[in-house]
């Protein structure tokens, strides 16, 4: 009986220690999709994340690119972005990134299955250490969305969204560097504005030890599309 009590106490202490180390982080995004041609569209996104402190941003992203609607369900894309990590309110690491992406959508009834393949090249600079480095990373995401109160996503539609994304780094070890799992909901307010929110679990794999990050995601999505056949895109936490 005493052994069982000791085991329970040790388990609770261990659980408590892990719970104190892990907390909810913030993930805020603003996205703009501008369809300026029947085949071409521009995409831009800004992000602020509070990883160590929910209310104080310590990471940002500014990125964008141009995509091509090869077909209604096939959209190649090329992107470019700048990223920054802060520690103790001081810039710790800067990143410049370019990527090639291909998105293939499959539909079954009301469900949409988005297959996203991405290849990235990044250049880093750590100003406090004056160190330069680079990285090549490959990503795949399966994103599933379904409208809940309509047959398709249109103004006034509530939808559910879930995805799993895996990250592989070719220039570092371990090669399997990250896994993301997301679940949430969105609402298409009108023809131009939509909102989305949800929970994102991110698992980081490293030689020094693995790490879990728990994000509360909140995004405002703006779509500018003058065509009659509108297609509302919700990129999700990226």
């Amino acid at each position: 009986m005493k052994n069982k009590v000791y085991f329970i106490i040790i388990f609770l202490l261990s659980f408590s220690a892990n719970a104190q180390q892990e907390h909810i982080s913030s993930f805020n995004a603003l996205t703009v999709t501008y369809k300026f041609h029947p085949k071409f569209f521009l995409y831009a996104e800004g992000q602020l994340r509070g990883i160590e402190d929910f209310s104080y941003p310590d990471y940002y992203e500014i990125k964008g690119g141009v995509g091509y609607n090869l077909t209604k369900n096939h959209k190649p894309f090329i992107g470019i972005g700048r990223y920054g990590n802060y520690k103790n309110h001081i810039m710790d690491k800067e990143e410049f990134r370019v990527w090639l992406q291909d998105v293939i959508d499959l539909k079954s009834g009301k469900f949409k299955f988005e297959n996203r393949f991405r290849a990235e090249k990044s250049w880093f600079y750590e100003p406090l250490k004056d160190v330069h480095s680079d990285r090549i990373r490959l990503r795949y995401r399966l994103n599933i969305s379904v409208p809940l109160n309509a047959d398709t996503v249109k103004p006034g539609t509530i939808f559910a969204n879930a995805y799993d994304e895996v990250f592989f780094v070719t220039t570092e070890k371990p090669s399997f560097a990250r896994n993301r799992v997301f679940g949430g909901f969105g609402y298409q307010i009108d023809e131009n504005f939509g909102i989305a929110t949800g929970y994102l679990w991110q698992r980081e794999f490293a030689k020094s030890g693995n790490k879990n990050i728990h994000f509360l995601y909140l995004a405002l999505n703006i779509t500018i599309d003058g065509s009659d056949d509108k297609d509302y895109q919700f990129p999700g936490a990226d």
Side-chain angles (χ1 to χ4, degrees):
M1 182 64 181
K2 289 184 178 181
N3 290 335
K4 291 182 179 179
V5 172
Y6 291 149
F7 175 80
I8 293 172
I9 292 174
I10 293 173
F11 174 79
L12 292 174
L13 289 174
S14 176
F15 180 82
S16 176
N18 290 331
Q20 291 175 5
Q21 293 175 0
E22 298 182 7
H23 57 273
I24 296 294
S25 301
S26 60
F27 193 129
N28 306 293
L30 170 66
T31 74
V32 180
T33 303
Y34 174 41
K35 189 176 181 181
F36 63 94
H37 183 274
K39 287 291 187 180
F40 289 93
F41 64 93
L42 294 175
Y43 174 78
E45 180 174 333
Q47 285 187 20
L48 284 177
R49 304 182 196 173
I51 299 174
E52 297 300 328
D53 185 340
F54 182 91
S55 60
Y56 194 93
D58 54 11
Y59 174 89
Y60 78 86
E61 293 187 6
I62 301 174
K63 58 189 179 184
V66 59
Y68 179 72
N69 293 300
L70 192 62
T71 68
K72 185 176 178 62
N73 299 318
H74 189 185
K75 305 177 183 68
F77 183 89
I78 182 169
I80 187 171
R82 181 176 177 82
Y83 311 75
N85 290 274
Y86 293 86
K87 284 187 178 180
N88 300 319
H89 304 179
I90 299 174
M91 176 62 71
D92 181 64
K93 196 171 188 178
E94 299 173 301
E95 177 187 357
F96 176 73
R97 183 189 305 174
V98 296
W99 72 89
L100 295 173
Q101 174 178 297
D102 199 10
V103 175
I104 300 173
D105 295 332
L106 302 173
K107 294 185 178 179
S108 177
K110 295 172 62 174
F111 287 86
K112 178 180 177 181
F113 300 84
E114 177 202 72
N115 296 275
R116 192 181 78 176
F117 307 85
R118 181 183 289 184
E120 302 173 340
K121 173 67 175 182
S122 297
W123 293 266
F124 300 96
Y125 177 61
E126 300 176 58
L128 296 179
K129 301 177 182 178
D130 193 25
V131 173
H132 293 266
S133 59
D134 59 10
R135 180 187 68 194
I136 296 175
R137 189 167 67 178
L138 305 175
R139 300 166 59 170
Y140 169 71
R141 185 178 79 180
L142 175 59
N143 188 7
I144 304 172
S145 59
V146 57
L148 300 179
N149 61 339
D151 292 332
T152 60
V153 177
K154 56 186 178 182
T157 301
I158 300 171
F159 63 92
N161 176 239
Y163 73 74
D164 187 18
E165 184 173 21
V166 291
F167 298 67
F168 298 93
V169 177
T170 64
T171 52
E172 302 172 9
K173 297 293 183 181
S175 298
F176 182 31
R178 176 183 293 173
N179 186 31
R180 276 181 175 172
V181 178
F182 175 83
F185 297 90
Y187 177 63
Q188 184 63 36
I189 301 170
D190 56 24
E191 291 186 349
N192 300 116
F193 295 94
I195 55 175
T197 187
Y199 165 73
L200 171 68
W201 173 74
Q202 181 170 296
R203 178 73 160 174
E204 304 276 359
F205 300 95
K207 289 182 179 179
S208 57
N210 301 331
K211 181 181 179 180
N212 294 319
I213 305 178
H214 307 272
F215 287 109
L216 178 61
Y217 175 71
L218 181 63
L220 172 64
N221 303 301
I222 302 174
T223 302
I224 304 172
D225 183 356
S227 65
D228 295 329
D229 185 19
K230 293 180 173 60
D231 184 19
Y232 300 101
Q233 301 294 322
F234 295 93
D238 185 22

